[in-house]
Amino acid sequence: MHSSSTIIASSGVFQIEFLKQVHNQDFNELIKVSKSLEKEFGLRAILTESTIEKYFNQSKSLPFIARYRSEIIGYIIGIPLEELKQEPWVRTEKNYGKKNTIYTYAFVIMDSFRRNGYAKMLKKVFLSKAEKLEEISYVTGHVLKGISSNFSGNIEVVSTVKNWQGTGKEFEYYRRTLS
């Protein structure tokens, strides 16, 4: 059974879909895409069937996939901060408990599809959907230090973490105020 989704944007052989439910048939493609993160961020960055179920199939999440010629080449998942209550850092977020913030849990485009605007389109669709949610005022996330300075909009770097999730890399936690 294929995943249940709605096409949000398309241009020729490229399309972005909002996922309502991810089914087992697409798990391998999602895991394959996540493996492009392993070299830089380690094994913890790779999706598992369990994390796919937990984050993609959660009723309050905002999961989108990018397809090129029907192959999944990328994804972005936003989840409410409150769904990350097991993470120690989340309780220090000033908006935790206010139910007004979507955390960008994962955002990736396969290496061979980078630098052609696909990632930018995927992020734009994600932000547009988040802005349409009445209760959501902010989108946050962790990115490599310095990356958020490339973002447009009202961005604030809230904190930095020297060794994010054991990657040995310095990350920054950013907050984007939605319009």
Side-chain angles (χ1 to χ4, degrees):
M1 180 182 236
H2 281 287
S3 297
S4 172
S5 65
T6 302
I7 297 172
I8 302 295
S10 66
S11 175
V13 295
F14 177 75
Q15 70 185 34
I16 297 171
E17 302 170 24
F18 176 67
L19 291 171
K20 297 173 188 155
Q21 181 78 31
V22 178
H23 294 289
N24 297 13
Q25 190 168 347
D26 288 325
F27 282 19
N28 285 339
E29 280 191 79
L30 289 167
I31 291 167
K32 176 183 164 192
V33 171
S34 74
K35 285 182 178 179
S36 67
L37 297 171
E38 180 182 5
K39 185 172 59 179
E40 191 167 4
F41 302 112
L43 291 172
R44 290 187 68 183
I46 298 174
L47 291 174
T48 64
E49 288 185 12
S50 173
T51 54
I52 291 169
E53 284 288 348
K54 183 175 182 176
Y55 296 113
F56 281 89
N57 287 338
Q58 200 245 78
S59 66
K60 296 176 184 171
S61 68
L62 280 180
F64 293 87
I65 57 171
R67 289 189 192 267
Y68 182 85
R69 298 189 190 268
S70 76
E71 174 191 353
I72 297 173
I73 62 160
Y75 56 82
I76 187 167
I77 312 163
I79 55 177
L81 276 180
E82 291 73 21
E83 297 302 315
L84 295 168
K85 57 186 169 273
Q86 75 282 5
E87 298 290 337
W89 64 265
V90 82
R91 291 184 287 280
T92 64
E93 162 60 61
K94 73 177 187 178
N95 291 315
Y96 179 72
K98 295 180 181 177
K99 299 182 179 174
N100 66 356
T101 304
I102 292 287
Y103 177 79
T104 307
Y105 174 75
F107 176 37
V108 61
I109 293 283
M110 292 174 68
D111 292 340
S112 56
F113 292 94
R114 290 191 184 159
R115 297 191 198 0
N116 54 19
Y118 295 152
K120 192 174 192 171
M121 284 192 283
L122 183 57
K123 183 76 168 206
K124 190 174 185 173
V125 165
F126 171 75
L127 290 172
S128 176
K129 179 75 169 175
E131 284 178 340
K132 289 176 184 157
L133 299 172
E134 271 184 38
E135 66 278 7
I136 300 302
S137 302
Y138 306 97
V139 171
T140 64
H142 284 91
V143 293
L144 283 169
K145 186 171 183 181
I147 294 290
S148 68
S149 65
N150 300 323
F151 297 169
S152 60
N154 186 356
I155 307 293
E156 159 191 17
V157 174
V158 177
S159 63
T160 57
V161 182
K162 294 271 188 230
N163 181 17
W164 173 247
Q165 301 283 322
T167 61
K169 298 183 183 298
E170 190 169 2
F171 273 61
E172 56 195 19
Y173 177 69
Y174 73 90
R175 182 183 304 117
R176 175 192 306 265
T177 303
L178 299 174
S179 51

